[in-house]
Amino acid sequence: MDSLLPAEDDPGPLTPFLSRLRTNAAEPALLAVLPVVAAFVLFRWFHFIADEPYWLYITLVLAAGASRVVYSALWAESRRRWHLGAYVGAAMAVIAVVAYSTGWGPILSIGFLFGAATALEVFGSKATVPCLVWTAVAMILGQLAIALHLAPTLIRRPLVHGVAALGLLGALFVIGLLGRADAAREASDAELRRSERRFAALVTSSSDIVIVADAGGVVTYASPAFESVLGYPSAEDQNLMADTLLHPEDQSGLTDIMGGAQGPSSTIHEEIRLRRADGDWLWFEAAITDLRTDPDVNGYVANLRDITRRKDAEERLAHSAVHDALTGLPNRTLILDRAHQMVARARRENLSVAALFVDLDNFKDINDTLGHEAGDRLLQAVAHRFEGMLRASDTVGRMGGDEFVVLTESVPMAAGPELVADRIRDVLREPFCIEGYDQVPLAISASVGIATGVRESANELLRDADIALYRAKAMGKDRWMMFEPAMQSAVLDRLELEMDLRSALEHHEFLLLYQPVFDLDSVRACGVEALLRWRHPTRGVLAPDEFIPSLEDTGLIVDVGHWVLTEACEQAAQWHRRGHALTMSVNVSMRQLEIDAFVDHVRGALSRSGLDPGSLILEVTETTLMRDTDATVSRLKALKELGVLVAVDDFGTGYSSLAYLRQFPVDALKIDRSFVAAMGDSAESVALVHTLVQLGRTLGIETLAEGIEEQWQLERLQGENCERGQGFLFSRPVDPGAIEALLTSTLSAASAVSSGTADTQ
Ligand code: C2E
Ligand code: MG
Ligand code: MG
């Protein structure tokens, strides 16, 4: 892998002397000694050299060869300064002895150049000075030997010394030149090595992968990141074809450049996938350059940057844009898209398609009673069941909240979608065991709206399924309904009603009637309940049942309720100022209690009107109270701190345990009128009313009976010691003026009622 790395300057550990000696002695170059010996013998034969004995020349040449083996082994590998000096000295000494033994001493000064060249090759330019010094020393000693007649000379004296001086100067000059050339080469080599090392460090330490492939696409070099990122062992040893790693879908860019489509030295930038050794695909940003015309490369160079994480993040983003975070199902956007495709295909190929809107019944109760986390888990479990139930060609998605959509294709027109709807309802019927809530297996049901058949657009198909769902819910939930055109008009009516309601508040179409509340003991009016009416521009005065559900659905109840509070407090304050100290009961819807601003609404209504908080009774239904969310409880407590009273409306109709009564700061129970009405039917019903009144007494809470229509009902309730009552027997809900009239006549009426002869309203 690291073939781009230049050799380091450090030669590594030194070999022991003896083994160096052996290696040097075995060098074939040493055999060159033999022709030299032969040459000397010949020269001697022809008297070209001094007439010394043959054995002397043979011995000298062989000794010169042997000594080179020894001093080379001793010092050539060493980096110590004096070893360098000793090597050069020994080399020059051997040359001097051989040269001066021939009688041609100074003429053979060329031999020193050979010695110097060898030393420079071995040690580099740092051998220059030792070579100069030892050459001079060797020649001076040689000349001394001639002068002292210790060495032969074929040139007569003193001429021989002049020749030596010239030869020495020449030799020193040439050695100096050689040394300088060496130094220059070394400097440029060092620079080259430095730059190579810098480049190598860049390539090897980078997390980017660099691959060089030959013209045929075989990898000839891969940087270390290739191994660490992709997990393949050194690629260049395996004749790896670059394109075998490439994802089949990403081949086209590579084919372009391999085919030379881009021209020489061109670079393409592509995002490609490469297979990792473990089989996973990684994303890379690749810059591939065609360097087939560059003789140093003769192939392609690819620079690859791992962008898998970025790609993953992009994919996750793209996925989350069209999927629901909670259940992982397609969200509204994707469902619409799929529905568009499905409807278009159905029109083209004459297939039949169906959209099913599924809404979980009473999901809000689960959310409110068990908490949002349990609600979320249930939705996940429902999604999971849907996925398990459908065919691959079906699509299931979550539109939001507890509403799911199923799109099915090619269902035979006859009974197909209905069967799917039945299956959906069946899988949901199986109780859900939610982790952390195992003790209560949740049984849920669902309402399903089905739209099927060819439509102009997907929107139409989905809208019709939604209308059918609305119908299924209106029919009492837990059923499926198939869309029929007539349903549309019902929905239009609802929409019209909602639009009218929006403008009703602005146009002062709401009004309040008041129904008096009587103290059953004295039979005197002690309070009133404010009851909302809507004076509809075309339909006349409407009762709350006809519009309050719509107000609640649209959230308009919050604004309307605020108006009711303000108006009722103002009215009560007015009566108080006129000396009628009546309590004012105001009905409060769940939706009002759900918002933070409600406590402020109450505080504002009280302070604007100046009504004593103790005269305001907020009526909350039992079911509202049972949605025991922390926020509701804390809001009720805040209201109690203001000093207002709280009554439980329609008491007895919820199927609550009575335990909650202890938990909430309640001041009165309003016994639902169905109990009062049933009192005549059986002894059990009387016993039930008795129990409810007793319960109030035990808890220290006042009881009030609703819907007293008959005299005997009043008497029975009086017999049970029920404190207060309200009903048509006393008065229907009436306008404020009628209440005042009634109050002034209360005394006589009361005595009449208690004697059983009055005909109250
Ligand atoms: P509720 O709070 O239980 O009010 C008592 C209902 O019983 C009134 O109906 C009243 O007219 C009726 N009623 C009283 N005495 C008798 C009787 O002797 N016999 C019979 N059969 N009925 C009697 P209404 O005015 O139609 O109100 C119906 C419901 O609408 C109320 O029930 C209350 O839950 C709701 N509502 C009324 N006004 C408001 C309001 O301002 N805000 C909210 N959130 N709900 C309101
Ligand atoms: Mg009420
Ligand atoms: Mg009631």
Side-chain angles (χ1 to χ4, degrees), residues 134-158:
W134 284 118
T135 302
V137 170
M139 282 190 73
I140 289 167
L141 287 176
Q143 292 308 116
L144 268 175
I146 290 174
L148 296 173
H149 297 277
L150 295 175
T153 175
L154 294 175
I155 308 163
R156 62 187 172 79
R157 299 178 184 83

Side-chain angles (χ1 to χ4, degrees), residues 38 65 107 113 117 124 140 208 218 239 288 343 530 568 588 621 640 684 721 758:
I107 298 284
L113 293 182
I140 289 167
D208 287 5
V218 176
N239 278 338
I288 304 170
V343 168
V588 173
T621 61
K640 290 292 298 174
E684 273 164 46
N721 288 325

